[in-house]
């Protein structure tokens, strides 16, 4: 069936129900897994629910200083390059939601690790040589946390091109869209 004016509320109700119930099967397994590390009463005494979330999921806001400390620079760029300075300035100016979108675009995840030790890959910034850099978009390699940035001529252009690329590249999150369609088909 298709979504149209008369059934849109039912569709929204079904999608919401699916999202709310998405992890009910998984919660007991997660609880058992945590319990295998240490007895649950001990964990409950040591950590609040918010602390457990932080340990598992990371901080909800991006720690720019931590990201900067875990950054490597490819050929043709350094921490003093304009595109690198502008990138970190733009990231600091982003809202938490935009920072989350940046991490998804670059790394395929929505949060940074909480400490430097949690980084399995360093974030890498490389220059992308292009004959018309202001018309090019940045590219990423999410498995390796690498971004290839054209040598933009201004911070404003970098921001605009990065925002466009982040918002246009949603294929990594395609599961949500297909899950919503599957709910409605049932």
């Amino acid at each position: 069936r298709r979504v149209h004016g008369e059934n849109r509320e039912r569709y929204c109700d079904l999608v919401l129900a699916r999202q709310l119930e998405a992890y009910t099967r998984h919660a007991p397994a997660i609880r058992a897994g945590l319990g295998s590390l240490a007895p649950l009463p001990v964990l409950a005494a040591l950590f609040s629910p918010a602390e457990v979330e932080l340990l598992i999921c990371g901080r909800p806001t991006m720690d720019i200083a931590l990201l900067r400390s875990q950054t490597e620079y490819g050929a043709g760029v350094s921490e003093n390059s304009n595109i690198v300075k502008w990138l970190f300035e733009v990231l600091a100016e982003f809202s938490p939601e935009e920072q989350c979108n940046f991490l998804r675009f670059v790394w395929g995840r929505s949060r940074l690790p909480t400490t430097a030790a949690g980084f399995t890959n360093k974030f890498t910034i490389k220059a992308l040589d292009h004959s018309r850099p202001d018309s090019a978009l940045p590219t990423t390699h999410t498995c390796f946390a690498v971004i290839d940035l054209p040598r933009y001529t201004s911070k404003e252009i970098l921001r605009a091109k990065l925002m466009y690329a982040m918002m246009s590249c949603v294929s990594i999150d395609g599961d949500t869209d297909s899950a919503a369609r599957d709910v409605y088909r049932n």
Side-chain angles (χ1 to χ4, degrees):
R1 295 188 315 201
R2 291 183 120 48
V3 177
H4 50 78
E6 294 174 13
N7 67 1
R8 73 180 182 273
E9 286 184 36
R10 171 110 173 99
Y11 174 78
C12 290
D13 290 343
L14 289 169
V15 170
L16 178 61
R18 171 74 180 250
Q19 293 297 323
L20 290 174
E21 296 171 6
Y23 300 102
T24 55
R25 286 189 344 220
H26 307 291
I30 293 169
R31 184 177 173 86
L34 286 172
S36 71
L37 299 173
L40 291 176
V42 172
L43 289 176
L46 292 174
F47 302 105
S48 70
E51 291 169 325
V52 171
E53 179 184 6
L54 178 64
L55 289 169
I56 293 172
C57 300
R59 298 185 193 290
T61 57
M62 185 186 295
D63 183 341
I64 304 291
L66 176 62
L67 181 62
R68 190 184 285 265
S69 76
Q70 296 302 303
T71 299
E72 294 179 338
Y73 306 97
V77 293
S78 72
E79 64 182 317
N80 297 316
S81 300
N82 282 338
I83 58 171
V84 171
K85 289 181 197 175
W86 294 335
L87 176 65
F88 282 112
E89 288 172 15
V90 166
L91 291 176
E93 295 164 3
F94 274 175
S95 69
E97 181 180 354
E98 290 166 332
Q99 291 175 344
C100 176
N101 289 337
F102 172 79
L103 288 174
R104 279 195 183 110
F105 175 61
V106 171
W107 212 333
R109 59 190 296 167
S110 59
R111 295 182 181 190
L112 287 177
T114 55
T115 65
F119 280 74
T120 53
N121 294 357
K122 290 217 176 202
F123 174 50
T124 304
I125 303 171
K126 294 182 176 182
L128 177 64
D129 290 321
H130 194 279
S131 61
R132 294 184 3 220
D134 288 346
S135 67
L137 293 171
T139 59
T140 61
H141 311 275
T142 56
C143 291
F144 306 104
V146 173
I147 187 167
D148 299 326
L149 284 174
R151 295 179 191 278
Y152 296 118
T153 58
S154 74
K155 177 178 159 182
E156 293 71 26
I157 293 172
L158 183 147
R159 175 195 307 278
K161 296 297 185 176
L162 183 59
M163 287 292 291
Y164 182 84
M166 288 169 18
M167 296 304 154
S168 299
C169 181
V170 294
S171 62
I172 199 156
D173 291 327
D175 292 345
T176 303
D177 296 333
S178 62
R181 286 191 302 269
D182 290 346
V183 165
Y184 193 68
R185 286 187 189 131
N186 294 336

